[in-house]
């Protein structure tokens, strides 16, 4: 046992006298429980230093653990097992409500991660959507979470570059093992990875994305010696480590790995694939839903939304089929109004201005974290979706809404209001910022993430558009329906691909029949679901639960229902597993009802 784990165990043992060792700790031992939560967070940051950097915790900015090794996975298992065992020393029913919630969240965390370690994710470490090679390039660009403000910051990232080279070697070794055992990605996904890797390799060091922080040195007011030394070190690192590591990955995948990849789309085609997909449903939705129930829910939602789309088509006097309307939306010049990339960014900024006067009607607590709209970096733009990157808790790094703009003249505007509500305000920016800023929460809960809650909230926010002064244009409202349809389709195609033998082409055709996205965007999305099974399920599952809770509150409280109080309560305790959120909100509804009746 390492030193820190041993300290935690001793603290918990010391909390009980010899006569009490077999008894659960009561609420009088809340200090011991708080120590446990603090230890969990601190040790987690050492395990996952990139997560610490993202959280604005700069203690481990020089560390990049090789999370693909057997020894690291054993370390993970020991960590989660220790804290799962430690929880059993506490008497949950005797705890205060806030401690009970933390107990439930930590119990979920330890259980789901111990279950995750039964599967061989480390044999499939690279895909076109999420992987360390993409993360490193974003960090190294200086536009991500990695700080480049001091000489030490620059030296910290050089250390991470050293560790990254070793990670790449392990990735190749693990992928070779995966090939032998049948743990490989679909071939088409690896074909998407190759241009990403190639785009990061730069023959001219000064044009490398990893050289960009050096361009900031003149404004840093470091000494001339430091500037020269850091420049030389970064040039050597890019030439001697970065380019060779990415080239090694590119060569291995293109010549050795790609021929051994599978033609099937679904994860059920790898060893233990069906069990793994059932786990991923549980992990991403934080529910016990089955693949069949998700597939059927998706079909019902698709049919419901198609009906609403038909009503909007009547409103704009369109004569033709739904598919005809989709073609119209993707061909008429009025839906492509932009000439420059800045025009697109300004279009989103105008939506932010439009929302501002209405937000006070829906919320009474607002984030302090600054917010910006930026274009997605060129090296990942081709495969990226619009996304939100959280700010730092101290406000030194803003929350950023990234928009990929490959060609502004082909940028379709029909879903812009909807997308901004989801990715930016009041979606991810409000939820994540308020959670991070809430210092009353234990640290591990200030920075925790659950897809069903976080993405469910953001999708729910899309439905608030009319309350925010948006969707006055029926085409923008149709854009909202289209995006909701997009999330409903995900339930069908994700489960279809991974449990029902759907081919990639079948999933693409189903999507084309039911949504207004372009074929290129649909193809990219289907390949995303192939790369990260289960993640896309979280949106609709979470949204429908929040809508259900809101209806329950409205039915129980009637005219006394306050939408701003409901939203504040949903957001107050940060990301929660669905069962924990539901229990919390049912308790809140009951308490509000008692106040109303007294």
């Amino acid at each position: 046992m390492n030193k820190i784990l041993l300290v935690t165990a001793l603290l918990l043992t010391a909390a009980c006298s010899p006569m009490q060792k077999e008894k659960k700790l009561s609420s009088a031992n809340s200090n011991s429980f708080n120590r446990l939560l603090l230890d969990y967070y601190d040790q987690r940051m050492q395990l996952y230093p990139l997560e610490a950097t993202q959280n604005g915790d700069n203690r481990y900015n020089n560390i990049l653990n090789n999370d693909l090794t057997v020894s690291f996975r054993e370390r993970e298992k020991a960590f989660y097992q220790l804290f799962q065992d430690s929880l059993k020393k506490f008497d949950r029913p005797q705890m205060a409500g806030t401690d009970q919630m933390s107990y439930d969240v930590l119990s979920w965390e330890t259980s789901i991660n111990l279950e995750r370690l039964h599967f061989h994710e480390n044999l499939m470490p690279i895909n076109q959507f999420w992987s360390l090679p993409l993360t490193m390039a974003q960090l190294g660009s200086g536009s991500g979470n990695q700080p480049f403000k001091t000489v030490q910051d620059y030296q910290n990232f050089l250390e991470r570059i050293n560790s990254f080279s070793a990670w790449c070697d392990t990735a190749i070794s693990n992928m070779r093992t995966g090939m032998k055992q049948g743990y490989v990605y679909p071939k088409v996904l690896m074909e998407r990875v190759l241009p990403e890797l190639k785009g990061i390799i730069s023959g001219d060091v000064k044009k490398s994305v990893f050289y960009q922080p050096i361009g900031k040195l003149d404004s840093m007011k470091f000494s001339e010696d430091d500037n020269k030394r850091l420049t030389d070190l970064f040039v050597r690192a890019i030439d001697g480590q970065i380019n060779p590591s990415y080239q090694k990955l590119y060569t291995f995948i293109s010549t050795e790995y790609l021929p051994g990849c599978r033609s099937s789309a679904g994860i059920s085609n790898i060893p233990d694939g069906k069990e793994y997909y059932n786990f991923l449903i549980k992990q991403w939705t934080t529910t016990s839903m089955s693949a069949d129930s998700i597939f059927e829910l998706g079909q019902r939602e698709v049919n419901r939304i198609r009906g609403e789309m038909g009503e909007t088509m009547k409103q704009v006097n369109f004569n033709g089929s739904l598919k005809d309307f989709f073609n119209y939306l993707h061909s008429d010049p009025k839906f492509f109004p932009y000439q420059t990339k800045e025009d697109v960014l300004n279009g989103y900024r105008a939506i932010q201005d439009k929302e501002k006067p209405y937000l006070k009607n829906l919320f009474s607590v607002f984030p302090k974290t600054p917010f910006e709209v930026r274009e997605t970096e060129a090296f990942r733009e081709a495969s990226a979706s619009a996304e939100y990157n959280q700010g730092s808790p101290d406000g030194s790094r803003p929350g950023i809404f990234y928009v990929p703009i490959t060609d502004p003249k082909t940028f379709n505007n029909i879903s812009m209001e909807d997308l901004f509500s989801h990715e930016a305000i009041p979606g991810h920016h409000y939820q994540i910022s308020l959670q991070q800023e809430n210092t009353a929460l234990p640290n591990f809960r200030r920075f925790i993430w659950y897809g069903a809650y976080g993405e469910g909230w953001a999708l729910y926010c899309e439905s608030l558009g009319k309350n925010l002064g948006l969707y006055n244009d029926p085409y923008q409202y149709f854009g909202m329906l289209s995006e909701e349809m997009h999330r409903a389709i995900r339930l069908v195609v994700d489960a279809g691909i991974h449990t029902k033998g759907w081919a990639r082409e079948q999933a693409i055709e189903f999507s084309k029949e039911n949504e207004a996205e372009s074929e290129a965007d649909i193809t990219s999305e289907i390949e995303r679901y192939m790369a990260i099974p289960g993640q896309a399920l979280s949106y609709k599952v979470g949204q429908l639960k929040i809508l259900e809770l809101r209806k329950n509150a409205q039915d129980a409280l009637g005219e006394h229902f306050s939408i701003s109080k409901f939203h504040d309560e949903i957001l107050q305790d940060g990301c929660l597993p669905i069962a924990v959120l539901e229990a919390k909100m049912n308790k809140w509804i009951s308490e509000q009802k008692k106040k109303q009746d007294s």
Side-chain angles (χ1 to χ4, degrees), residues 546-559:
I546 294 173
L547 287 170
E548 176 191 322
L549 293 170
R550 176 172 157 179
K551 184 178 186 304
N552 291 347
Q554 289 173 314
D555 290 346
L557 303 178
E559 63 182 14

Side-chain angles (χ1 to χ4, degrees), residues 55-123:
N55 295 350
D57 181 346
N58 295 320
R59 291 176 293 173
Y60 312 112
N61 284 350
N62 62 321
I63 298 173
L64 183 71
N65 286 328
N66 191 340
D67 59 358
L68 302 180
T69 63
V70 172
S71 61
F72 181 85
R73 287 166 66 83
E74 289 175 347
R75 186 179 164 197
E76 282 186 293
K77 183 177 180 180
F79 168 73
Y80 289 115
Q81 190 64 60
L82 172 69
F83 283 93
Q84 187 177 77
D85 293 342
S86 299
L87 274 177
K88 296 173 184 176
K89 297 178 182 291
F90 294 89
D91 189 1
R92 183 193 177 282
Q94 298 301 315
M95 289 178 160
T98 53
D99 284 347
Q100 285 186 349
M101 202 177 300
S102 293
Y103 182 105
D104 293 341
V105 175
L106 186 54
S107 178
W108 171 269
E109 277 292 290
T110 56
S111 296
I112 201 70
N113 280 288
L114 286 170
E115 190 173 348
R116 170 178 61 83
L117 290 165
H118 289 306
F119 301 100
H120 298 284
E121 295 174 316
N122 59 325
L123 301 184

Side-chain angles (χ1 to χ4, degrees), residues 117-220:
L117 290 165
H118 289 306
F119 301 100
H120 298 284
E121 295 174 316
N122 59 325
L123 301 184
M124 299 170 63
I126 295 174
N127 62 55
Q128 85 286 10
F129 197 77
W130 283 340
S131 68
L132 186 60
L134 294 178
T135 299
M136 277 295 290
Q138 191 172 15
L139 293 172
S141 71
S143 64
N145 301 320
Q146 185 84 23
F148 288 96
K149 296 179 180 178
T150 67
V151 170
Q152 186 61 50
D153 287 341
Y154 281 78
Q155 292 171 336
N156 285 340
F157 194 69
L158 287 167
E159 290 187 47
R160 280 189 164 165
I161 289 174
N162 285 333
S163 300
F164 177 64
S165 297
W167 186 93
C168 291
D169 290 339
T170 305
I172 291 172
S173 175
N174 282 13
M175 291 164 82
R176 285 194 175 114
T177 300
M179 291 170 69
K180 293 174 184 176
Q181 298 181 8
Y183 293 94
V184 291
Y185 278 109
K187 184 176 182 179
V188 67
L189 303 189
M190 288 300 107
E191 291 172 344
R192 302 291 183 258
V193 167
L194 291 175
E196 293 177 341
L197 297 174
K198 190 173 184 179
I200 295 171
I201 301 165
S202 178
D204 183 346
V205 168
K206 291 185 178 181
K207 292 183 180 178
S208 170
V209 66
F210 289 91
Y211 191 81
Q212 289 179 14
I214 296 300
K216 301 178 181 179
L217 283 177
D218 289 341
S219 63
M220 294 296 180

